Amino acid sequence: MSTTRAAADPLAPLADLPGVAEAVESVRTAVDRVYGHRVMRRRSNEISSEAALRGARGTAALSGADWALEEVRRRTDFGTEPEAQTMGAALRLCAEAGQLLSIWKQSPLRVLARLHVVAEATEAPAVGRPRLAGEAVDEPLVELPLPDAAETAARLEGLAGLVTAGSSAPALVTAAVVHGELLALRPFGSRNGLVARAAERIVLIGSGLDPKAICPAEVGHAELGAEAYTRALAGYASGTAEGMSAWIGHCARAVELGARESTAVCEALQRGAA
């Protein structure tokens, strides 16, 4: 990899890491398979709606609200106990992500602020802005060292610059970096996991890899489990080639599992059982 290439497009060299090209190709195959299903030609809106519901269940599970899908489908009150609030936040974020696609590439920091506001659904002073020096972070799943507020602000600006500049790297790579960087930084006082996974969703949809939002990576992340998720995230945070490759591969597997979930939904609809 040349220094010039790395400086011009920092994400592009990640596509050359061991195993990444294979992961990208595997994801494309999985996504193409579900998009080519005959049910998608007639009932894609139903598949998208079901994927959003299942994605919300998956991302909430990783944030401590591991509910059965039918419970999520049945409930209408998400404003009381902590798990219900987490589930409500997840549902709102999955619904909001598609509304922010046109803003993301021009103003990613504005989108991240909006995602945090939607997740918290309150008007507290700290909501929708990066944490300040000395402010605590409530993100029990992630135990990585927490960057201070100054480093976090600088790295957020750097991430925003990557998004607005664009990259020749595959969408999977960009989505994985956005997701990993936000979780490593935990820029908000709360709900960082939900926001990071919503941002990953936005990249996957807006890039054209999953334009109808029918391959919910959140489903895959939850299915792979919290232990594998945090282990892969530690690889990202290490900054090593091996760690970065492992994180991108983990995200690839999550998208594949999301595609498999929607393929199963298609099959159920085809049988008249859904």
Side-chain angles (χ1 to χ4, degrees):
M1 124 182 73
S2 73
T3 303
T4 301
R5 182 187 178 199
D9 186 354
L11 297 183
L14 299 179
D16 298 330
L17 292 175
V20 171
E22 293 82 357
V24 168
E25 185 59 33
S26 183
V27 164
R28 285 175 177 156
T29 299
V31 172
D32 287 347
R33 185 179 299 117
V34 66
Y35 271 85
H37 198 286
R38 61 186 299 179
V39 170
M40 280 294 296
R41 291 195 292 270
R42 297 175 286 110
R43 306 177 73 173
S44 64
N45 287 343
E46 291 176 66
I47 307 301
S48 295
S49 295
E50 188 65 20
L53 185 72
R54 294 176 186 229
R57 195 216 72 80
T59 191
L62 283 174
S63 287
D66 192 0
W67 290 12
L69 182 62
E70 290 311 312
E71 177 69 3
V72 181
R73 204 187 300 278
R74 180 188 66 81
R75 285 285 290 266
T76 57
D77 176 17
F78 298 100
T80 52
E81 69 273 15
E83 283 195 12
Q85 291 174 345
T86 296
M87 186 60 69
L91 288 165
R92 291 191 298 272
L93 284 173
C94 282
E96 185 77 7
Q99 310 303 313
L100 299 171
L101 298 176
S102 63
I103 307 171
W104 172 252
K105 289 186 178 180
Q106 284 73 43
S107 185
L109 296 183
R110 179 181 164 197
V111 169
L112 293 175
R114 174 61 184 167
L115 290 174
H116 192 237
V117 169
V118 168
E120 284 293 5
T122 68
E123 297 183 358
V127 172
R129 64 153 174 79
R131 56 187 164 81
L132 304 177
E135 291 183 339
V137 172
D138 179 15
E139 198 67 45
L141 178 65
V142 181
E143 298 180 350
L144 296 172
L146 185 69
D148 63 29
E151 179 184 349
T152 296
R155 286 172 62 176
L156 274 179
E157 289 290 344
L159 181 63
L162 290 177
V163 171
T164 55
S167 174
S168 64
L172 172 70
V173 171
T174 302
V177 168
V178 167
H179 182 173
E181 187 71 356
L182 289 173
L183 265 186
L185 294 178
R186 283 147 289 165
F188 303 109
S190 60
R191 308 292 190 200
N192 289 286
L194 293 177
V195 169
R197 292 184 289 274
E200 178 186 49
R201 167 182 280 262
I202 287 171
V203 175
L204 293 172
I205 298 169
S207 67
L209 178 63
D210 182 23
K212 293 183 183 292
I214 60 170
C215 302
E218 304 95 331
V219 168
H221 288 305
E223 187 171 334
L224 291 167
E227 182 179 347
Y229 185 68
T230 54
R231 184 170 59 247
L233 178 64
Y236 172 86
S238 74
T240 64
E242 182 181 9
M244 294 293 291
S245 179
W247 171 249
I248 294 168
H250 184 89
C251 292
R253 183 60 180 149
V255 176
E256 290 180 51
L257 290 171
R260 187 183 71 177
E261 184 89 353
S262 286
T263 299
V265 172
C266 287
E267 295 291 337
L269 286 170
Q270 186 168 279
R271 295 192 303 269

